[in-house]
Amino acid sequence: MSSEPQMAATAVALVPTWKAALSKASGLFILADGVAIPGDWEVKPDQWTGDTGDMVFPNPKAIPTPFARAEATRLVLAQIDQAFNHVLALRFRDLLLGVAAGVLTVEPDDLASPEHDNLGRALLQVDRDARYFCQLKWRGLSYGITYRTSLFSPHTRRTREEWAALAEAIKPLEPDALTLLCDWRASLERARRWNPEVPLCEWQRGVNEVLRRAGAQPSEGNARLVEDARLVGPAHLTLPTGLNTEPGEPVRAEPVYLPSLQRGFAARLLTTCQFKPREEPDKQAIALCDATQKTVARIRLGQSGSDGNSIALGMGSVELLDTPKVPAAEAELWVSGRGGEPGIVDLLRPVVLALQKIGRPVDGEHVLAAPALYPDPIRVLFERGRWPGEGGARAAQSRRLAAALLQAGGRALDGATLERERGERLQLGGTAAPVTLTLVDRLGEIAINDFRALGYALFAVFTREAEPASALDGQLAMADTLEKLLEHNADRPLEPRKWVYDLVELPPSERLSRRVATLQRFLRAYRSPQPGLPRVLDRAAQSFARWASGRLGPPPKDGEAGGRNSDLLPLGRPSARAINVQLPTGEELRLPLDAVEG
Amino acid sequence: MNRYVISVGGTGQHVALALTRLVRAGALEGLKLIALDPDNETRLPQLLRAPTPSLSGAKHPLQDGVVKAPFDIARLGQKSFEQLFVDPDHPKEQELFQCLFDADEASIAIHKGMYGTPCVGATVFAEGANGDLIQNLLRPLSSATQVFVCGSVVGGTGAGIMHKLIGEIRRYYTHEIFGIFMLPWFDVSATGGKGAITPATITRNASHGVKYFYEHTIPNLTASLLIGYPGTTQSAVLKKLTLGEGNMGENPHYLHLAAARGIVELPAAHTANRGVKAYGMVHDLRNEGWLLDAAWESGVPLRKLLRALRVQHNLVSFLVLPENRNKILSYYTSWLGSSDFFAPLDGSIKLNVTDKKMRHSFAEHVLDRFAEIKEEVELCVNWAQKIFPVELIDQSDDALMKELSDAFMKRAESAGHWKRLQAIWKGRELPANPDKPNTGADVAEHHAQIILDYALGN
């Protein structure tokens, strides 16, 4: 505005209210800065209530868009610190907690669907970015939809009683729901996708205020989000892109999964991953069925060739239908395929591609940084360390170890736990078909006996009780019974058979315990400082020898990989001969034979 | 220049009617109108369609005054807003509709208007935008050099469709779009039936409309003028209007003239201030006739143009008085008497009609056209006299106007009028055109223009 003398007394601005000075007598003048709404024209929150106490602003009827309620909600959220008692703010809170408590269902929808007929087309005409949204329902009643700037647009026709009933249903779950929301927010903050000050992200202000007023705190290690949440939707929301933190940071509308309380969800999901997946083209889904062919979980795939954003339409979301019943002994994860049959990860490939198409790489770095941006099967498998490693290496472990891990929640053994339990990871298969094998003898109080069982197999060969059987294509088998010693397949190249595990779980026979010299020569034959397969075989020999000799003392200390047990030393005549066995993964196993025959 | 004005809703039509008069008066030129409103049957759209019988169709000052619905009214029939979308074959559609719109909004009889509910207006327009109707209306904009959109950001129709309309315009036209938007310019009666627009509705819509306009619409426009009634200020030209329910005719107001001024000032302001999007207008309370004294596109102040039109109106009205009409026509019937009293006009008739027997009917056409011109000028002059008090329009030292006004008291007996006409027209007969024969209307317009030029020069 000009600094010329005020002439307002003899001139008037032809607008309903104007308090600023006028610098000319007639003609056009610039309204404030000529771009933003003049401050006096903004209806402040303290003016939102009319004389009769009714809310007069914002009023959806007066907002020129069919998404008027969403727009009105956004205006309220922009000032929510002063307008928390506005009816739209209260509805926002109800819907937010309703979703987080797992009371409201969140179902993706598409305005372009023929089911929405000409209304959908008209709404798309007005706002193309509103195409993807979610329906929010409880007991079959719609309570609203999602909208990208306000998160929610509350239903126009739910009565006060219906809203009160929803609030009542949420109440007992509210503390956990608030904690879950804190965890969810924290994950988006860590990924730099949380900035409530950015325009069009007013919904984040709303979430912040709800959590602030409740004094909510995140759970330790975000455990609530990791263990007890199903991520539903996704809702199409405007988010900061995370590319910079300057004012005016760009925002983008994209699919974001909302947290929904479901206790033990991650562990249950992982349990369903024990079952062989199969595609259901008629349902556009992956089904996980138990041994009775009952579908216990279904992962949505969506229509192929759809012109929509498949992720926004719910591709990859999982529904747990029933509790499967599987004997623990047979527990094995079908995350990766086996025997030429596809695993869950293989069948999730279209989901991975769809995520990559919207700029979401599927790797540990990105998924763990922003779990709310990924569907549950992928999120949970990554959080549990179950997703196949970089370069496509499949993770393999014995059935015993798999069952024990599932019982403990399904999380893969991390490096720290493996080290604490004196386990080993072994890479087999080279670059062509890499497999990462995990072996461990104990998991806390649970006996696994991977090394011990392998050691038994090696000892059986060493003492010529077992040998490659021509009838079994050269696989190792007991000479007298032709019972196979190892599984010997691409998925379990070095895993002993169940009967071996069962046998080494029992105390050793007295006859075996007295074969001290043989055990010492056995230890010597496998002693090796080399890493990889030689080290694993050395450890297997040591584990077996300790058990067989009845001297189950503490295992060797660090740095004594090829080293000694204080009671049973590797001694005696060196092995003069050995047999070679090729593993299914291509490695050549050199198995020494005892120098003393008979 | 190929300039278009797109008027939206009733307020847009008021501005369009102001522009109609300004073009007819010679203050503005070269504007083409596209008028949009679902209602084209009540008095206001009928007036815009044909401000006078002779100013309709291709002869409309804005080239087309027909108000067109931005969606297929015939298909709407008597449907309510809900019935436009909801049908038993699409339950999910009904579910979504009920989520977005309450029962009151659903029951609006949209063929009668949007009842001050912009969220409904926006949806109905979007429904129609899918069809050919609006696209056919906007397609001519592909050859436009400048576009002005005018309407209200407060009413159900204007505010409801404005934002989307500008998006649709951009499909055909990518240059400058200027907006002229009326804020509340009238009050309504506090009483009214269910669904009636009340003062609270106006206030509600104004605050929301302005907010939405600034956030979503203004960024898509080159520059805009926002204009409305200034609170409690009242003056000779700033009068409060209170409209009752069912008032569907024109309600002329100074603010419409001020809004029309935007056609002249906005492009110039934009050239000077490229980054500015929103303007208001200042009104000089010490010189309330400043818009009359400002030069418009013809370079002539509006005051002078209106005065010249009043002189023309006076003289033409005299000519077409029944007694004078009969006097002229009877000359061509009986051939008795002299044509001296209207000699130059008679001269034009004779030059263009050699067959004596045809001169009577030719003269009828001349006089008919004079009668039309009288109506056209009245359209402009009467409107100006409603907006401005007489002391602002009239010049106290206007001897010619005083003489003519006084003489007109004698009506057909005024010898002074015949003398004045003879003097004005002397030696200015319209010669025949061998390529395209002049019609009676051409002769009348020629002589009417001479009067106007005379008045402008005197």
Side-chain angles (χ1 to χ4, degrees):
Chain A
M1 297 288 289
S2 162
S3 59
E4 290 175 20
Q6 180 177 328
M7 303 175 75
T10 53
V12 65
L14 293 178
V15 283
T17 57
W18 190 257
K19 293 177 186 164
L22 297 168
S23 61
K24 56 198 305 191
S26 63
L28 291 193
F29 75 103
I30 299 173
L31 286 168
D33 67 357
V35 177
I37 186 170
D40 288 341
W41 291 3
E42 286 264 35
V43 184
K44 308 289 190 296
D46 58 2
Q47 300 164 312
W48 286 8
T49 307
D51 294 337
T52 55
D54 292 332
M55 289 292 172
V56 296
F57 188 94
N59 187 324
K61 286 186 193 301
I63 299 177
T65 165
F67 300 102
R69 267 152 195 85
E71 178 67 13
T73 301
R74 183 185 73 82
L75 293 173
V76 169
L77 297 179
Q79 311 266 11
I80 192 169
D81 48 337
Q82 300 173 66
F84 200 72
N85 290 322
H86 193 286
V87 62
L88 291 174
L90 298 174
R91 297 290 170 255
F92 177 87
R93 186 182 184 277
D94 290 338
L95 292 170
L96 180 68
L97 291 178
V99 169
V103 172
L104 286 167
T105 61
V106 181
E107 186 58 32
D109 206 339
D110 180 2
L111 284 179
S113 162
E115 292 180 300
H116 293 305
D117 199 30
N118 62 325
L119 178 64
R121 291 193 293 274
L123 297 178
L124 278 174
Q125 261 290 337
V126 173
D127 187 352
R128 187 144 293 275
D129 291 334
R131 176 176 174 179
Y132 303 111
F133 67 104
C134 291
Q135 300 265 9
L136 310 166
K137 292 190 177 179
W138 181 50
R139 292 182 173 171
L141 269 184
S142 169
Y143 273 77
I145 60 173
T146 58
Y147 189 78
R148 68 184 178 284
T149 55
S150 60
L151 182 50
F152 301 118
S153 176
H155 203 284
T156 63
R157 307 195 193 194
R158 290 284 74 82
T159 64
R160 256 181 237 224
E161 291 72 28
E162 285 165 338
W163 285 107
L166 176 67
E168 202 54 40
I170 294 167
K171 210 186 277 187
L173 303 162
E174 197 168 300
D176 286 338
L178 287 163
T179 304
L180 177 57
L181 283 165
C182 279
D183 286 359
W184 177 74
R185 178 182 61 177
S187 73
L188 288 170
E189 282 174 329
R190 281 194 299 275
R192 294 172 55 185
R193 310 308 292 277
W194 196 270
N195 187 350
E197 302 310 312
V198 174
L200 304 180
C201 294
E202 286 83 358
W203 66 271
Q204 293 187 345
R205 292 178 67 106
V207 174
N208 271 4
E209 190 66 12
V210 169
L211 296 178
R212 185 187 73 79
R213 283 183 181 252
Q217 297 293 328
S219 62
E220 177 101 24
N222 273 14
R224 185 68 76 230
L225 180 66
V226 171
E227 301 294 336
D228 298 324
R230 179 178 169 223
L231 293 185
V232 295
H236 222 60
L237 300 177
T238 37
L239 285 181
T241 58
L243 296 175
N244 62 64
T245 54
E246 296 297 319
E249 176 178 7
V251 297
R252 185 171 59 214
E254 46 184 300
V256 181
Y257 295 90
L258 304 178
S260 176
L261 196 65
Q262 196 166 333
R263 295 190 205 287
F265 174 79
R268 264 191 72 197
L269 175 57
L270 212 50
T271 304
T272 64
C273 292
Q274 299 173 64
F275 303 101
K276 189 168 149 184
R278 68 158 196 262
E279 284 184 274
E280 286 185 328
D282 56 323
K283 289 192 171 65
Q284 296 148 27
I286 301 168
L288 298 160
C289 303
D290 69 8
T292 65
Q293 295 308 306
K294 183 174 65 177
T295 303
V296 295
R298 189 170 275 124
I299 301 173
R300 191 185 300 196
L301 285 182
Q303 248 172 338
S304 61
S306 162
D307 65 348
N309 179 334
S310 306
I311 296 297
L313 292 171
M315 187 190 206
S317 58
V318 66
E319 198 180 351
L320 301 182
L321 299 171
D322 206 338
T323 307
K325 293 171 183 51
V326 176
E330 295 174 18
E332 55 179 288
L333 288 180
W334 266 92
V335 175
S336 300
R338 57 194 70 225
E341 304 223 53
I344 292 166
V345 168
D346 302 306
L347 295 180
L348 283 175
R349 181 110 186 102
V351 182
V352 171
L353 290 174
L355 285 163
Q356 288 168 347
K357 200 171 153 188
I358 61 168
R360 295 187 182 172
V362 178
D363 56 49
E365 181 195 344
H366 288 88
V367 176
L368 296 176
L373 301 184
Y374 292 87
D376 278 332
I378 292 174
R379 171 183 71 97
V380 170
L381 287 176
F382 268 98
E383 282 174 344
R384 288 299 205 259
R386 294 294 184 172
W387 192 269
E390 299 291 331
R394 282 179 300 110
Q397 61 214 358
S398 65
R399 287 189 181 84
R400 294 281 170 122
L401 179 56
L405 288 172
L406 275 171
Q407 213 169 2
R411 194 177 293 281
L413 272 186
D414 57 44
T417 309
L418 191 69
E419 194 176 322
R420 188 176 63 242
E421 301 292 358
R422 307 292 302 137
E424 287 274 348
R425 280 212 221 280
L426 177 64
Q427 306 287 344
L428 297 174
T431 53
V435 174
T436 304
L437 199 57
T438 301
L439 300 101
V440 69
D441 266 347
R442 297 199 69 80
L443 192 64
E445 294 302 312
I446 305 171
I448 309 296
N449 295 331
D450 287 335
F451 288 113
R452 188 192 293 179
L454 180 58
Y456 178 93
L458 299 177
F459 189 76
V461 172
F462 186 74
T463 58
R464 295 179 177 78
E465 287 172 30
E467 61 190 9
S470 53
L472 296 171
D473 250 345
Q475 290 187 55
L476 294 173
M478 300 305 287
D480 51 354
T481 61
L482 274 187
E483 267 194 285
K484 279 176 45 172
L485 275 170
L486 302 178
E487 294 288 354
H488 195 87
N489 58 50
D491 300 313
R492 301 181 189 283
L494 210 53
E495 182 174 331
R497 303 289 306 279
K498 182 174 179 300
W499 69 266
V500 177
Y501 276 94
D502 290 342
L503 195 149
V504 302
E505 221 168 26
L506 302 168
S509 66
E510 206 176 312
R511 177 179 161 268
L512 181 58
S513 307
R514 285 204 291 268
R515 297 180 75 177
V516 175
T518 308
L519 288 167
Q520 285 177 318
R521 287 195 302 276
F522 174 61
L523 281 173
R524 186 182 175 180
Y526 277 98
R527 186 173 64 171
S528 172
Q530 288 181 38
L533 197 48
R535 173 186 159 99
V536 167
L537 299 180
D538 182 11
R539 292 205 47 203
Q542 291 179 51
S543 177
F544 174 78
R546 272 198 303 282
W547 169 76
S549 65
R551 299 166 196 199
L552 286 169
K557 294 192 182 114
D558 284 344
E560 292 181 359
R564 304 175 243 182
N565 180 294
S566 57
D567 289 340
L568 204 58
L569 298 175
L571 292 173
R573 282 156 65 179
S575 165
R577 288 176 57 209
I579 56 167
N580 289 325
V581 172
Q582 188 170 37
L583 291 177
T585 46
E587 286 81 4
E588 196 78 13
L589 264 190
R590 184 183 175 277
L591 303 177
L593 299 175
D594 196 0
V596 174
E597 298 206 30
Chain B
M1 287 268 264
N2 194 16
R3 302 190 298 175
Y4 277 84
V5 174
I6 302 174
S7 75
V8 181
T11 296
Q13 288 168 55
H14 276 86
V15 177
L17 280 165
L19 292 170
T20 298
R21 279 126 175 166
L22 290 166
V23 171
R24 177 58 183 80
L28 295 172
E29 54 194 7
L31 293 171
K32 296 181 189 173
L33 176 66
I34 299 174
L36 303 175
D37 196 311
D39 168 30
N40 61 1
E41 290 179 0
T42 51
R43 282 179 288 138
L44 182 64
Q46 291 293 332
L47 179 62
L48 180 60
R49 179 192 186 123
T52 71
S54 57
L55 287 179
S56 62
K59 295 210 168 126
H60 195 287
L62 302 182
Q63 302 193 32
D64 180 4
V66 175
V67 175
K68 300 167 185 80
F71 35 81
D72 192 344
I73 287 283
R75 193 170 74 82
L76 284 181
Q78 305 286 309
K79 287 181 183 172
S80 68
F81 178 47
E82 182 165 25
Q83 288 167 339
L84 187 62
F85 294 105
V86 171
D87 64 82
D89 295 330
H90 298 92
K92 281 192 82 174
E93 181 185 39
Q94 178 176 19
E95 187 179 62
L96 181 60
F97 183 90
Q98 290 177 347
C99 181
L100 297 175
F101 303 103
D102 63 26
D104 287 341
E105 290 157 0
S107 64
I108 288 177
I110 48 180
H111 62 285
K112 294 182 185 173
M114 305 301 149
Y115 286 88
T117 314
C119 66
V120 171
T123 314
V124 175
F125 179 73
E127 158 71 356
N130 279 322
D132 292 335
L133 206 72
I134 187 67
Q135 304 306 327
N136 290 340
L137 292 175
L138 299 180
R139 199 163 282 122
L141 296 176
S142 55
S143 62
T145 53
Q146 215 171 50
V147 170
F148 297 85
V149 179
C150 59
S152 163
V153 293
V154 171
T157 303
I161 81 175
M162 200 64 75
H163 179 72
K164 187 60 194 160
L165 173 65
I166 289 161
E168 291 300 313
I169 290 170
R170 286 280 180 218
R171 290 168 67 161
Y172 299 99
Y173 169 82
T174 55
H175 307 303
E176 296 168 337
I177 302 181
F178 296 99
I180 300 172
F181 301 116
M182 302 287 290
L183 301 172
W185 57 277
F186 60 87
D187 285 343
V188 292
S189 309
T191 56
K194 184 176 185 300
I197 298 172
T198 64
T201 308
I202 301 266
T203 306
R204 177 200 76 190
N205 285 0
S207 54
H208 290 78
V210 168
K211 175 80 174 165
Y212 195 89
F213 173 78
Y214 265 92
E215 287 200 343
H216 298 280
T217 312
I218 216 172
N220 296 326
L221 294 162
T222 305
S224 297
L225 168 62
L226 292 168
I227 196 160
Y229 196 88
T232 54
T233 304
Q234 293 211 58
S235 70
V237 300
L238 293 174
K239 298 170 201 147
K240 265 195 181 300
L241 259 183
T242 301
L243 304 182
E245 192 183 350
N247 184 324
M248 308 300 276
E250 188 190 20
N251 295 279
H253 198 281
Y254 175 75
L255 291 174
H256 305 136
L257 176 64
R261 183 69 184 169
I263 300 282
V264 176
E265 297 212 18
L266 267 177
H270 172 64
T271 301
N273 302 292
R274 289 277 165 181
V276 173
K277 292 284 201 172
Y279 293 90
M281 186 169 285
V282 184
H283 173 68
D284 189 345
L285 289 170
R286 288 180 310 178
N287 173 21
E288 294 207 83
W290 67 272
L291 272 178
L292 291 170
D293 297 320
W296 290 67
E297 284 180 350
S298 58
V300 179
L302 183 59
R303 185 191 300 283
K304 205 167 176 185
L305 289 170
L306 286 171
R307 186 262 186 185
L309 283 171
R310 289 172 66 207
V311 168
Q312 186 191 57
H313 179 261
N314 184 291
L315 290 165
V316 168
S317 295
F318 173 81
L319 207 55
V320 300
L321 284 169
E323 300 90 332
N324 291 336
R325 181 187 170 93
N326 287 339
K327 193 172 173 182
I328 292 169
L329 287 175
S330 63
Y331 170 77
Y332 295 105
T333 317
S334 66
W335 299 105
L336 294 172
S338 163
S339 65
D340 289 349
F341 65 98
F342 69 110
L345 183 61
D346 175 54
S348 290
I349 292 171
K350 283 173 176 161
L351 283 174
N352 286 276
V353 185
T354 49
D355 183 350
K356 284 184 185 179
K357 296 194 201 72
M358 302 303 295
R359 284 176 187 164
H360 181 272
S361 93
F362 190 88
E364 275 186 322
H365 288 135
V366 172
L367 292 166
D368 288 345
R369 182 65 190 122
F370 273 128
E372 289 175 349
I373 290 170
K374 169 179 172 285
E375 277 185 337
E376 292 171 14
V377 172
E378 276 169 1
L379 176 76
C380 302
V381 169
N382 289 354
W383 173 73
Q385 288 174 335
K386 281 182 189 163
I387 292 174
F388 293 100
V390 65
E391 60 268 21
L392 273 179
I393 287 194
D394 283 357
Q395 286 166 239
S396 55
D397 57 349
D398 190 347
L400 175 60
M401 200 64 243
K402 187 173 181 345
E403 177 206 315
L404 289 173
S405 297
D406 290 345
F408 200 86
M409 304 282 245
K410 298 179 189 160
R411 296 186 57 79
E413 301 300 321
S414 168
H417 274 71
W418 287 121
K419 280 190 184 146
R420 181 69 68 175
L421 284 167
Q422 285 165 27
I424 291 170
W425 287 338
K426 187 175 178 184
R428 307 283 301 273
E429 291 81 353
L430 179 66
N433 185 347
D435 298 322
K436 183 173 178 267
N438 292 313
T439 63
D442 293 330
V443 167
E445 281 163 20
H446 169 78
H447 284 273
Q449 187 62 44
I450 295 171
I451 297 172
L452 198 67
D453 292 340
Y454 168 79
L456 283 169
N458 287 273

